[in-house]
Amino acid sequence: GKKPIPETPTSSTSSSSSKKGKKSPGKDGSSSSSSGYDEKNIRRRVYDALNVLMAMDIISKEKKEITWKGLPSNTHHDIEMLQRERAHRMAEVQRKRDCLQELLVQNVCFRNLMRRNRNREVMEAVERDTTTNSSSSRGGGGVGGGDNHHHHHQQ
């Protein structure tokens, strides 16, 4: 967010109380009370410097309290680096999504294969039961009697 920038004192807006009763110097800057003029110029330059630092978001100023926020780094370089890192992470996430999709497909395939094998075992057990029941019920005793029954299984 934007921070309000305090007014910088200028010769036109400064109040008479800030002049501290000193005489204004001549055009060449020489006067018996030039230290007041120098102090005012120094204050003006300090305000200018503070405004620059606030504009660069290095400091923030609330009323008279100044807070250090930190020096800016090479933001253009940082943005490029962060964008490369983001692209790398996005690619990694996509790779992991693809891998997960493949694992899910394999999981479904294995479940279907297990179900098919279980059904096949059940069918073979049922066929064995019907074969032994039918051969024993004919009185063949099951020895050699099963030669008539040929079971063709799907492969």
Side-chain angles (χ1 to χ4, degrees):
K2 288 196 166 207
K3 304 226 180 320
I5 297 173
E7 282 187 30
T8 57
T10 60
S11 56
S12 62
T13 61
S14 60
S15 65
S16 59
S17 64
S18 67
K19 289 181 182 175
K20 295 179 185 166
K22 307 233 173 161
K23 289 193 296 179
S24 294
K27 287 209 186 260
D28 61 352
S30 63
S31 88
S32 60
S33 60
S34 67
S35 65
Y37 178 76
D38 290 344
E39 185 182 320
K40 215 192 260 184
N41 269 342
I42 291 169
R43 283 179 181 270
R44 200 174 294 132
R45 296 294 80 84
V46 168
Y47 274 112
D48 289 344
L50 290 176
N51 281 330
V52 168
L53 293 174
M54 281 186 284
M56 293 179 69
D57 214 27
I58 295 171
I59 63 169
S60 64
K61 189 173 175 206
E62 296 285 326
K63 295 185 175 142
K64 293 203 175 221
E65 185 176 294
I66 295 170
T67 308
W68 180 263
K69 293 172 109 182
L71 288 172
S73 61
N74 189 348
T75 48
H76 181 68
H77 176 263
D78 290 349
I79 288 172
E80 285 179 354
M81 188 188 69
L82 288 171
Q83 286 173 338
R84 278 195 304 272
E85 185 177 333
R86 182 178 186 271
H88 173 73
R89 298 256 169 107
M90 296 291 276
E92 191 69 10
V93 166
Q94 189 56 50
R95 188 188 64 76
K96 289 180 179 183
R97 276 195 181 121
D98 294 344
C99 191
L100 178 62
Q101 183 64 37
E102 181 62 31
L103 288 171
L104 288 171
V105 168
Q106 286 180 12
N107 186 294
V108 169
C109 289
F110 284 130
R111 283 173 184 258
N112 289 341
L113 188 61
M114 287 171 57
R115 188 182 309 118
R116 193 196 75 181
N117 288 346
R118 238 181 284 124
N119 289 343
R120 180 183 280 176
E121 287 173 3
V122 167
M123 292 305 291
E124 288 175 351
V126 167
E127 286 177 4
R128 271 195 307 273
D129 288 350
T130 57
T131 304
T132 31
N133 288 346
S134 63
S135 62
S136 62
S137 65
R138 281 186 320 205
V143 179
D147 291 343
N148 302 349
H149 301 278
H150 297 286
H151 299 291
H152 296 286
H153 300 290
Q154 277 185 315
Q155 293 291 331

